[in-house]
Amino acid sequence: MPGEISMPQLSDTMSEGTVVKWHKKEGDKVKEGDKVADIETDKAVMEMESFENGTLAAVLAEEGAKVKVGSVIAVVARAGEDPATVKKTYASGTPAAPPPAAAPPPAAALVAVKAEPPPAAKPAPAPAAPPAPAATPAGKPGNYQFDLVVIGGGPAGYAAAIRAGQLKKRVLCIEKEKLGGTCLNWGCIPTKALLENGALVRKLRDHAGDFGITITGMQFDFSKIIARSRGIADKLSKGIAHLFRKYEVKSEVGVATITAPHKVSIQTKDGAAREVTADHIIIATGARSRSLPGIDFDGKTVISSREAMTLATLPKSMAIIGAGAIGCEFADFYSSLGAK
């Protein structure tokens, strides 16, 4: 039977996604792992890969369509199946499409607006000449380079910047590292990738027999596990950059300092500095790990969650201080791989 490509759930809160772009068209050959479409969620734009081999027989969701999670957006004709027949079978379905434009108002309403012309206005006496307007002081709306400067490109900052861009505001987002901030690059997203790897290792090691599978001498490559996590974070960060371009949000890598009302200084990594002005400024600089008094992070023996995400080798043992989400996730991941 044909292989169905459905709208994936790319985050816990995602209920629908938008098909931004199709990389394959009807009639194209596809194989497992091929990039078939770009999907926009409430957080980023992600590439969707095919899990089927065959011919793309029918595209059921056009570019720009909003589709509920789990809905079929394309169909692949597998080996031995006729793509035309498969397409005809699915043609009777109702493909997801953008919501229709609002219906025009009834004719009666239009007639009512035009029913009676307003009476002619009586000529008014010429007013006295107004005093000459004072010069517009610096800092009034319209004199700034940007309507909004957002300091911080994490989930709060980039969401605010994108929304302002959707509202046609002139926006600049300043982030000292990568778009996405701690959550996307060093927290929520990459730790979930590590947890998925750890859960898979634990399941194969401890429960393979429950599924009738025998594994002898199972090994894993710790560096590749870390690299997979980093790759997922990098892909999502690029997705935010795509949304910035889509909504004409400008971004800059640097450290921002508010120097005066409506003024922000930007210090770049190469030492250059410049100043920009904005009608409004949003501070969305997030949080950072805090060391214990007298025990500073050295990046080797005493590390923060950032170093824990990019260790070169699996440690034999570790002590984790802090039992919040981050601490528990690292405890689960490292213990699943055998660390004490």
Side-chain angles (χ1 to χ4, degrees):
M1 61 182 295
E4 296 181 344
I5 299 177
S6 302
M7 175 62 68
Q9 185 170 18
L10 301 174
S11 71
D12 293 341
T13 59
M14 177 180 171
S15 60
E16 65 179 13
T18 301
V19 180
V20 176
K21 180 180 180 181
W22 282 103
H23 296 285
K24 298 288 186 179
K25 61 180 183 297
E26 292 183 357
D28 285 353
K29 297 291 184 182
V30 295
K31 60 180 183 294
E32 185 176 353
D34 280 354
K35 181 172 67 174
V36 293
D38 289 341
I39 302 297
E40 180 180 336
T41 72
D42 56 346
K43 293 182 178 293
V45 173
M46 296 182 65
E47 297 173 351
M48 186 175 69
E49 297 179 352
S50 171
F51 292 96
E52 304 289 344
N53 295 302
T55 302
L56 188 60
V59 172
L60 305 179
E62 298 179 353
E63 292 181 357
K66 290 185 180 296
V67 185
K68 296 291 184 182
V69 168
S71 299
V72 179
I73 60 175
V75 185
V76 174
R78 293 173 173 153
E81 297 177 333
D82 177 34
T85 301
V86 171
K87 180 177 180 179
K88 185 177 180 181
T89 302
Y90 280 83
S92 58
T94 304
L110 298 178
V111 173
V113 172
K114 299 179 179 179
E116 293 294 338
K122 296 180 180 180
T136 304
K140 284 292 183 181
N143 291 345
Y144 303 114
Q145 293 168 272
F146 297 96
D147 298 311
L148 176 66
V149 164
V150 181
I151 302 175
Y158 77 69
I162 290 171
R163 183 57 182 149
Q166 292 171 334
L167 297 174
K168 306 302 181 184
K169 301 298 183 180
R170 300 168 299 159
V171 186
L172 171 65
C173 181
I174 306 166
E175 164 58 44
K176 67 178 181 179
E177 292 184 329
K178 288 186 175 182
L179 291 176
T182 297
C183 176
L184 192 151
N185 294 288
W186 301 103
C188 319
I189 302 300
T191 55
K192 299 305 181 292
L194 295 177
L195 286 173
E196 186 178 22
N197 269 91
L200 178 60
V201 170
R202 182 186 284 117
K203 193 168 189 175
L204 293 175
R205 182 187 62 219
D206 301 338
H207 303 288
D210 298 340
F211 296 88
I213 301 172
T214 300
I215 300 175
T216 303
M218 186 185 75
Q219 297 180 330
F220 58 81
D221 188 326
F222 182 74
S223 63
K224 287 186 177 179
I225 291 176
I226 297 298
R228 174 178 177 269
S229 171
R230 302 314 310 150
I232 291 172
D234 289 342
K235 181 181 293 186
L236 289 177
S237 181
K238 292 176 182 176
I240 294 174
H242 169 82
L243 290 175
F244 274 18
R245 292 191 297 270
K246 178 178 179 180
Y247 296 112
E248 299 182 3
V249 174
K250 298 184 182 299
S251 65
E252 191 159 339
V253 178
V255 176
T257 304
I258 299 176
T259 56
H262 305 286
K263 291 184 179 181
V264 178
S265 174
I266 306 171
Q267 186 83 29
T268 61
K269 287 186 177 181
D270 58 9
R274 70 186 186 95
E275 191 173 73
V276 296
T277 59
D279 191 9
H280 299 282
I281 300 170
I282 291 180
I283 303 174
T285 49
R288 67 187 67 183
S289 299
R290 184 174 63 181
S291 62
L292 293 176
I295 310 177
D296 294 329
F297 297 125
D298 61 15
K300 297 178 181 180
T301 304
V302 183
I303 63 175
S304 70
S305 57
R306 173 167 298 203
E307 289 82 19
M309 197 154 325
T310 56
L311 291 178
T313 57
L314 176 66
K316 293 181 179 180
S317 63
M318 63 166 54
I320 297 175
I321 301 174
I326 295 174
C328 289
E329 286 176 342
F330 279 119
D332 183 88
F333 169 65
Y334 278 106
S335 65
S336 70
L337 299 186
K340 182 179 179 182

